[in-house]
Amino acid sequence: MADPKSLYQEVILDHNRKPRNYGTLAHASHKAEGHNPLCGDHLSLTMNLDGDRIDGIAFHGESCAICKASASMMTATVKGKTRAEAETLIGEFRDMATGKLDLTGRPHHLGRLTVFAGVRDLPTRVKCAILPWHTLHAAFNSVVSASTESEDDPMHAPIGDA
Amino acid sequence: MTAAPTTRKLRLASAFDVERIRADFPILNLKPGGKPLVYLDNAASSQMPQQVIDRLVHYRTTQHANIHRAVHTLSEIATSEYEEARRKLARFINAREEREVIFTSGTTESINLAMHGYGRKFIGAGDEIILTTLEHHSNIVPWQMLCEEKGARIRVVPVNDAGELLIDEYESLFNERTRFVGVMHVSNALGTVNPVKHMIAFAHSRGVPVLVDGAQAAPHMKVDVQDLDCDLYAFSGHKLCGPTGIGILYGKAALLERMQPFKGGGDMILSVTFEKTTYNTIPHKFEAGTPPIAAAIGLGAAVDYLSGIGMDAIAAHELDLLDHATAQLSRMPGVRIIGTAGKKAAVLSFMVDGVHPHDVGTLLNQDGVAIRTGHHCAQPVMQRFRLPATARASFAFYNTTAEVDALVAGIRSVQSVFS
């Protein structure tokens, strides 16, 4: 098992202290609420799509450092990207967090988001890292509320090697 | 650690030798990630001493068969050991009779049994059930299910900022529709020891029976059900150095006899035809199917073990740990203790400013310190204190002041990571 300390790298702590794109867009075209009832993490995501491209994105909420840093880095990464590019990242991030993506063996687009790879060794924290991505997916699909515990959510992924 | 002979003698004389007790718990020798395990999640589940492990092995290797019906020797042995475990539990809580002890799968099933056995028979539309803000979800949800079915309603006793029940408010909730009271003895989220004896006496003065959820009390203090005069008392084995999958519901015999069965099946009947079934006597009426025989016998061994140390000695040592931890955490800038009741058991909930409890827990874990983080299945308590979650350290008699110091050092290290 990786040293959990490796998860709390400076880049994650920095995004936790100074989250990017923190707030609410006044005239969002898409929005969603993300909620993890197990730990009380909650975040609100607003987004403006210009055609197929993410023109603006913001989040706010109450959560642990892993969730907040994940949301901050996610918004910074997907801003300016197309919906298809963002959807690819959502899938890759989820696969990395649940240990299904071999970062060395397969090409991917995660870049510095790989700082979250260590979460795969902390099953109870996987959902913290995934929640923002979950919520982004819900926002694209105009699902107003996302939950890590919803059965019919297409993002619902079993933890570990299911 | 080798103590000088004189020190050793002094320690033994002091009656509570924590190092000797720790030697009974093999799991405490673990070194997760190379760090000695500091296990401070005892309110969730306690560890098992070698004596209980040995008892389970002895049963499995030499005594196992199904109980109560077969004529062969092994079944007679298993039956007698199972019933002996019931006697031990009855003595442990000072029940009048052993038939007042029903084996269940744990506190949750015990409360569900009370709901089905008493609630569904005696509580109806417009009736009221009094619960408290401090309750664990397991003493809320079954009663909500009953209310939904019957059209009854729940009244809730509020708490003050220290996490103590407002007893005046409790008393003012009683009216002619009050049919039942459910109250936890010790709060799993805050550690508050509730004045259950007084609350029971008050409820009885209004003719209302009381269920006490003793999941967090039975492992940490002497429980005397006759002194409390509670009608029902529930607790789990696995928080008491016993196995999972076993617990008890104590009930006054007269009440248990009036209650209806919870589960139907074998062993809970005297005779069955397709026209009519006659139920067995208590406690068997409530123990349908083959029970967790080994777990019950293991729990019997666990209460023997605890009684051997003495519940008063256990309580005293744990309160020393709590006082030490409370003093240390109170002095730490940026740390806030949640739950400051005048009377507490060995549970310490806290918040570290600017750090979510889950991050506190994950970082403490890297120092080998195991605590609980989350809502502790007590979301109404979290809502009352406007918190999403807390970090919770909970102590057992095998913990040491050095382990409390490891917790404190771990919290300092969390603060430095997030500074």
Side-chain angles (χ1 to χ4, degrees), chain A residues 5 8 17 39 64-65 125, chain B residues 356 358-359 362 366 418-419:
Chain A
K5 207 165 210 163
Y8 291 87
R17 267 193 298 270
C39 64
C64 64
R125 307 303 305 277
Chain B
H356 191 281
H358 279 40
D359 296 316
T362 297
Q366 98 191 349
F418 276 82
S419 64

Side-chain angles (χ1 to χ4, degrees), chain B residues 307-329:
Chain B
S307 303
I309 297 168
M311 291 311 295
D312 290 337
I314 284 172
H317 177 69
E318 290 179 357
L319 285 179
D320 282 349
L321 294 174
L322 179 69
D323 287 347
H324 182 60
T326 304
Q328 300 256 11
L329 264 63

Side-chain angles (χ1 to χ4, degrees), chain B residues 45-65:
Chain B
S45 198
S46 57
Q47 300 298 348
M48 190 181 277
Q50 191 64 50
Q51 288 84 340
V52 177
I53 298 169
D54 289 346
R55 184 66 189 89
L56 292 170
V57 170
H58 179 57
Y59 171 77
R60 286 289 180 203
T61 48
T62 66
Q63 297 181 316
H64 175 69

